[in-house]
Amino acid sequence: MANAEIEAPASGSCALLIIDMITDLDFPGGVEMLPAVGGAAEAIDQLRTKCREAGVPIVYVNDNFGQWHSERSRLVDLSRGTPAEDIVTRLQPHEDDFFVIKPQFSGFYATNLAVLLPKLGARRLILTGISADICILFTAADAHMREYDLWVPSDCIASQDGQRTRWALDIMANSMKAETLPTAELDIAQWMDRSE
């Protein structure tokens, strides 16, 4: 929350993670990803709204892009004038959202995410963002090792090509027991109602 206090436990023991969507897409293959990232951003935005209404905390987990003195507003500012500006404007965090800066692929590696999620009372995670076959996949693996239930909506992730996204989804579904139904087939209320 804005005052850094956690006012209530996560509704349904769930948390929504938005991974690396605060970006300038300034990396090899980034600009080519723009259509897929734009589609994922639209689905993430709709899911984020439903999560907020349901009392599910929203946690941005974002690469620092080598900006070691960065915090959330500086990372948002880095997208200005880039191909990803509209996406970042659409998805920029609200004041009461949580923001975790990561130095590497997994959202758990060298971050406070492993401490934050239990404080939120979250045992079930919804992973969204980019790239499906790298940062989403690595975060999912670390979450699975920590025994979190996972939903990775297939319409809320993107990578450099569809085949890599499908490959990552297959690994997460078969090796990490992740649910991968898109948001058109599973909504936040249904996910929250599922037994653990």
Side-chain angles (χ1 to χ4, degrees):
M1 303 300 167
N3 62 4
E5 292 180 1
I6 297 169
E7 296 177 359
S11 183
S13 300
C14 295
L16 171 64
L17 273 57
I18 300 176
I19 300 171
D20 288 343
M21 291 299 285
I22 308 303
T23 181
D24 57 10
L25 292 178
D26 185 19
F27 50 82
V31 174
E32 291 77 12
M33 289 176 63
L34 189 58
V37 175
E42 183 176 345
I44 293 168
D45 191 24
Q46 293 172 7
L47 179 59
R48 178 179 68 161
T49 297
K50 292 176 183 175
C51 285
R52 185 167 281 113
E53 291 168 355
V56 172
I58 297 160
V59 182
Y60 285 77
V61 182
N62 221 88
D63 197 287
N64 67 7
F65 301 111
Q67 303 293 314
W68 292 95
H69 292 99
S70 279
E71 42 83 32
R72 84 165 75 184
S73 63
R74 187 166 176 191
L75 290 174
V76 168
D77 289 344
L78 287 174
S79 73
R80 306 284 185 235
T82 73
E85 181 174 5
D86 289 343
I87 290 167
V88 174
T89 298
R90 178 178 201 159
L91 288 181
Q92 66 183 326
H94 294 195
E95 279 301 310
D96 59 349
D97 293 334
F98 298 91
F99 201 93
V100 174
I101 294 178
K102 64 184 179 69
Q104 282 290 333
F105 308 123
S106 172
F108 288 91
Y109 178 75
T111 75
N112 65 359
L113 188 62
V115 176
L116 174 62
L117 292 173
K119 290 201 175 287
L120 292 172
R123 296 187 311 275
R124 315 178 82 224
L125 304 180
I126 308 165
L127 304 186
T128 66
I130 59 173
S131 287
D133 57 329
I134 304 172
C135 297
I136 303 295
L137 182 62
F138 282 52
T139 301
D142 278 353
H144 177 66
M145 286 190 294
R146 290 166 172 81
E147 300 184 341
Y148 285 97
D149 291 332
L150 298 174
W151 176 25
V152 186
S154 59
D155 57 329
C156 292
I157 61 171
S159 59
Q160 289 185 0
D161 65 62
Q163 180 58 41
R164 291 169 76 162
T165 301
R166 289 187 294 275
W167 169 77
L169 284 166
D170 185 59
I171 290 173
M172 290 183 280
N174 292 305
S175 299
M176 302 168 199
K177 301 178 184 175
E179 176 60 75
T180 60
L181 286 173
T183 56
E185 297 179 31
L186 179 66
D187 66 26
I188 184 61
Q190 293 168 320
W191 172 248
M192 289 167 62
D193 286 344
R194 283 191 176 186
S195 59
E196 297 181 22

